[in-house]
Amino acid sequence: MDNLTPSDLFSPSKARQQRAQAQDWAHIDSWLSYKYAGRTVPTFERNEETLKVLRELSMANERADEERAVIERVEREALKELNEIPTNADDNRILDQLKASLTPEGNQALDALASTAVHLNTPTANPEFLAHTLIHHTTTAQNLANQLAHIHTLQQYLDKQQSLLQAQLQEFRTNPSFSAPSSLQRQTTDQTRQIKHLRTKTRECEDKLAALQVRTMTPSSKHVGSAEAIGEMLEQQQALDGLRERVEGVEREVNAFMGLPADREAARKEVGRLEVRLDEVRRKRDGLFEGLVGK
């Protein structure tokens, strides 16, 4: 309701839509608080797409909870019915006679078959059915193990990349080479202001020159071919040329610093290195010239 505009107050449909969204967000917040059980809910962007996804997720979660509750109720009722079935003494007697008539290997095989059926939670002790169930469980376990190994490898890779990024971020924060000098912003602001001022002056002079040219080309003008008009145009042209030279000079001064590092000490080192290189080239040139003169 906080994002209602004055126009929405006079639109019942928009007001109803805003109220419905507010109720949906209240339901989502309550559901997330219950699911996180006292932990801090992660922050996320609150828009219509996020609300739609979270609404669908909460509805699917509620349906899954209802299905799980139904299954648990059915299992409890089935277990209760099984416990209420009276035991038959004849069945125990038949089972004892069957075990007595079996060999030790047969008793061991019967116990293994019964234990396998219980552990696999199968409704029957048919060996073929148990074999298929065991194969299915083995395949599922192997697939899960492969997925866990893949996830573990991916987690190790992400941890390594995170460590590298943190190291690079720390390098950027602590290395003076990546920090701009304190006076750079002031210098840039001053030079930008000066360039804008000179460009404004240049445009004014160009406009004045264009107006003088139009007046000179007009047949009815009183200043056609006069010495005053020509002198004024020459002065404007000289002023324009001077302003252009100043603008070009400032731009050359600014461009001269483009290749240098932002740090002042690093820039001085780079200039010193270039001066040493210039001296070497000069000595080489002088040596070549002396060699040509000697010949």
Side-chain angles (χ1 to χ4, degrees):
M1 297 296 290
D2 296 337
N3 54 353
L4 283 174
T5 60
S7 61
D8 295 337
L9 299 176
F10 301 96
S11 177
S13 59
K14 291 184 178 180
R16 285 194 298 271
Q17 184 180 3
Q18 293 290 339
R19 285 195 297 271
Q21 289 183 356
Q23 293 176 358
D24 291 339
W25 277 118
H27 173 73
I28 293 299
D29 293 335
S30 176
W31 174 68
L32 290 175
S33 300
Y34 172 74
K35 288 299 180 183
Y36 277 87
R39 294 175 296 171
T40 304
V41 180
T43 57
F44 54 89
E45 184 178 357
R46 292 177 176 265
N47 50 35
E48 295 182 358
E49 291 77 7
T50 306
L51 178 61
K52 180 180 178 182
V53 173
L54 290 175
R55 191 189 303 116
E56 294 177 355
L57 182 60
S58 64
M59 293 174 61
N61 186 261
E62 291 176 358
R63 288 194 299 269
D65 292 340
E66 292 176 357
E67 293 176 357
R68 185 172 62 254
V70 171
I71 293 174
E72 290 178 355
R73 185 172 65 254
V74 171
E75 290 179 351
R76 287 195 301 268
E77 292 176 356
L79 181 61
K80 183 178 179 181
E81 292 178 358
L82 290 175
N83 292 331
E84 292 177 353
I85 296 176
T87 58
N88 192 350
D90 294 337
D91 294 340
N92 294 331
R93 182 174 54 82
I94 293 173
L95 181 59
D96 293 338
Q97 291 178 358
L98 179 61
K99 288 183 177 181
S101 61
L102 291 175
T103 61
E105 292 79 4
N107 283 323
Q108 186 177 1
L110 182 60
D111 292 338
L113 186 64
S115 300
T116 303
V118 170
H119 284 88
L120 294 178
N121 194 20
T122 57
T124 179
N126 187 357
E128 184 178 357
F129 185 79
L130 291 177
H132 287 291
T133 305
L134 185 60
I135 292 173
H136 175 70
H137 280 276
T138 304
T139 304
T140 304
Q142 185 63 34
N143 291 334
L144 292 176
N146 293 335
Q147 292 178 4
L148 287 174
H150 177 70
I151 293 173
H152 181 67
T153 304
L154 181 60
Q155 183 180 3
Q156 290 180 345
Y157 174 76
L158 292 177
D159 292 340
K160 182 178 179 181
Q161 293 298 321
Q162 183 181 8
S163 301
L164 293 176
L165 291 176
Q166 289 179 350
Q168 292 178 359
L169 180 60
Q170 186 67 21
E171 177 69 16
F172 291 153
R173 290 176 176 175
T174 58
N175 194 343
S177 300
F178 298 104
S179 61
S182 58
S183 60
L184 179 61
Q185 184 176 2
R186 181 178 55 81
Q187 294 177 359
T188 304
T189 304
D190 294 340
Q191 291 178 355
T192 303
R193 187 185 301 111
Q194 187 177 4
I195 290 174
K196 289 182 179 179
H197 177 70
L198 293 176
R199 286 178 178 175
T200 302
K201 290 294 185 181
T202 303
R203 285 194 295 268
E204 292 177 359
C205 293
E206 289 177 350
D207 294 338
K208 291 180 181 179
L209 180 61
L212 289 174
Q213 291 177 352
V214 171
R215 290 172 58 187
T216 304
M217 294 175 62
T218 303
S220 60
S221 177
K222 296 180 180 180
H223 302 281
V224 175
S226 63
E228 296 180 356
I230 296 174
E232 186 177 358
M233 288 193 316
L234 291 175
E235 292 178 358
Q236 294 291 338
Q237 184 65 35
Q238 291 177 357
L240 179 61
D241 294 338
L243 288 174
R244 285 179 178 174
E245 291 179 357
R246 291 179 60 187
V247 171
E248 292 176 356
V250 173
E251 290 181 348
R252 285 194 299 270
E253 292 179 359
V254 173
N255 294 331
F257 295 98
M258 292 181 62
L260 295 178
D263 184 58
R264 182 174 59 185
E265 296 299 329
R268 288 179 176 177
K269 292 180 180 180
E270 182 66 18
V271 171
R273 187 183 66 83
L274 293 177
E275 289 178 351
V276 172
R277 179 60 180 169
L278 179 61
D279 292 337
E280 293 177 355
V281 173
R282 286 177 177 174
R283 288 195 297 270
K284 184 177 180 181
R285 182 198 61 185
D286 294 339
L288 292 176
F289 180 76
E290 291 177 359
L292 292 175
V293 172
K295 293 180 179 181

